[in-house]
Amino acid sequence: MKKQLSVILLLAAAVLLYLAPAYSQEDMTQLLDPAFTTHQRPAAVFNHDGHNEKAEIEDCSVCHHVYEGERKVMDDSSEGTPCSECHAVDAEEGTPLRMAYHRMCTDCHTAKGKGPVTCGECHVDK
Ligand code: HEC
Ligand code: HEC
Ligand code: HEC
Ligand code: HEC
């Protein structure tokens, strides 16, 4: 009996571990990237799954992209890898982290004519 119970507990723990990453993006409601050691602005509003549903973005690689040199690889994606791993805060080459967020988020909103484009609409004081 005892042995069976511990097997069940182990299985349950394994399932929880497996599901854990899926929960974190579902529960995400804001962005406050820890790679910025100090924050000048409040967290940016971003309800990960709700946003992507409303904006009708089905392809994860629209944001979680992969590059080969200067070229975006169309059928690969990098979800699970933080933006900061490829876009350092103080990067001297390529797109530094703050610019990476602003370009990705604001450029699409501007292009679509939908979604926030002013500082205070994204960095909302609580
Ligand atoms: C509109 C842009 C956008 C789209 C589309 C998008 N994501 Fe994300 N996602 C983000 C941002 C921004 C983060 C936070 C990145 C960071 O912390 O470096 C993130 C984080 C994540 C994380 C990490 C969660 C955590 O808390 O560690 C996972 C997993 C993830 N996304 C999965 C997905 C999957 C799967 C899809 C496609 C179904 C997807 N994303 C589509 C923007 C997007
Ligand atoms: C696996 C590495 C990698 C990850 C993860 C990654 N990027 Fe990139 N990204 C690149 C490379 C390489 C380039 C091209 C060189 C450059 O501009 O830095 C690029 C280019 C960009 C550009 C400029 C070109 C464009 O598409 O407009 C933006 C903006 C950008 N990334 C934002 C982000 C954001 C925001 C995240 C997190 C959601 C992210 N990136 C995650 C590697 C990555
Ligand atoms: C590829 C296009 C695209 C990208 C990239 C994108 N957005 Fe959006 N976003 C939209 C669209 C379209 C809407 C309007 C959705 C609607 O209400 O119809 C929107 C709406 C929003 C809203 C309004 C409230 C909500 O959740 O619906 C917020 C906040 C927002 N975006 C934040 C962000 C942030 C932060 C990022 C960068 C991490 C980002 N967006 C990246 C297309 C995009
Ligand atoms: C579309 C949404 C959006 C808009 C508009 C926007 N930001 Fe951001 N900003 C972000 C996201 C997402 C991040 C990365 C997450 C974070 O705040 O750590 C960020 C990061 C930052 C950072 C680096 C982190 C910090 O708090 O020090 C600064 C500074 C900043 N933004 C200032 C501004 C200013 C100033 C404006 C207006 C000119 C602005 N942002 C407009 C979404 C936005």
Side-chain angles (χ1 to χ4, degrees):
M1 244 343 238
K2 242 191 178 161
K3 199 168 167 199
Q4 268 174 355
L5 185 64
S6 58
V7 167
I8 289 168
L9 284 176
L10 262 177
L11 276 175
V15 166
L16 277 177
L17 266 180
Y18 177 74
L19 288 176
Y23 277 119
S24 45
Q25 105 244 18
E26 275 166 22
D27 294 343
M28 186 187 295
T29 56
Q30 61 175 35
L31 293 167
L32 194 69
D33 196 319
F36 299 107
T37 42
T38 58
H39 277 90
Q40 300 166 36
R41 295 270 164 172
V45 184
F46 187 63
N47 181 333
H48 190 282
D49 284 11
H51 172 274
N52 297 341
E53 207 169 296
K54 254 198 244 167
E56 294 174 356
I57 312 170
E58 271 152 35
D59 182 359
C60 310
S61 76
V62 168
C63 299
H64 299 287
H65 53 209
V66 173
Y67 274 77
E68 229 171 64
E70 308 261 289
R71 201 172 49 83
K72 198 173 154 177
V73 182
M74 296 318 280
D75 48 9
D76 204 356
S77 64
S78 59
E79 66 266 17
T81 307
C83 311
S84 60
E85 211 155 287
C86 303
H87 298 281
V89 173
D90 297 318
E92 298 196 347
E93 267 175 51
T95 312
L97 190 61
R98 177 174 159 188
M99 194 190 281
Y101 277 114
H102 287 157
R103 282 224 179 121
M104 178 171 287
C105 308
T106 313
D107 281 11
C108 180
H109 296 164
T110 305
K112 302 251 182 209
K114 273 189 198 168
V117 292
T118 64
C119 319
E121 285 174 304
C122 281
H123 298 284
V124 178
D125 272 312
K126 296 251 164 61

